[in-house]
Amino acid sequence: LNVYDISEQNGLLFNWGLGFYHTGVVIDGSEYTFSQSGVFSHTPRDLNGSPAVFRENIKLGTYNGTIQDIQSIISDLKS
């Protein structure tokens, strides 16, 4: 799980366990995230000009499925 700061105030708020964040799940070299246009994939840590700043990566575990399984799940989320 990649975590990004989306507010400059996070520098102060983070110490209290608060803040404004954006996240993306990295699976098999692609990062999957959600925006106003829905679920999409992109290169990890490349937010295409977004002002968000990478904060940290949180290890969630290992995924043992196929890329086709992921594509099917993303397709279901889009509908």
Side-chain angles (χ1 to χ4, degrees):
L1 182 72
N2 282 342
V3 180
Y4 302 88
D5 290 331
I6 58 172
S7 170
E8 293 179 10
Q9 301 303 316
N10 284 4
L12 300 171
L13 296 171
F14 183 76
N15 295 327
W16 291 310
L18 302 171
F20 300 94
Y21 303 98
H22 171 77
T23 59
V25 177
V26 179
I27 301 173
D28 196 33
S30 291
E31 184 168 343
Y32 296 88
T33 192
F34 182 82
S35 73
Q36 291 176 328
S37 58
V39 177
F40 64 97
S41 67
H42 57 88
T43 302
R45 300 186 189 182
D46 180 4
L47 298 179
N48 300 319
S50 167
V53 177
F54 178 77
R55 171 170 285 278
E56 66 180 321
N57 175 271
I58 300 171
K59 187 83 168 163
L60 297 178
T62 303
Y63 174 73
N64 295 318
T66 67
I67 193 68
Q68 290 80 17
D69 294 336
I70 290 295
Q71 291 169 344
S72 176
I73 292 168
I74 297 301
S75 178
D76 289 347
L77 289 172
K78 287 182 178 181
S79 6

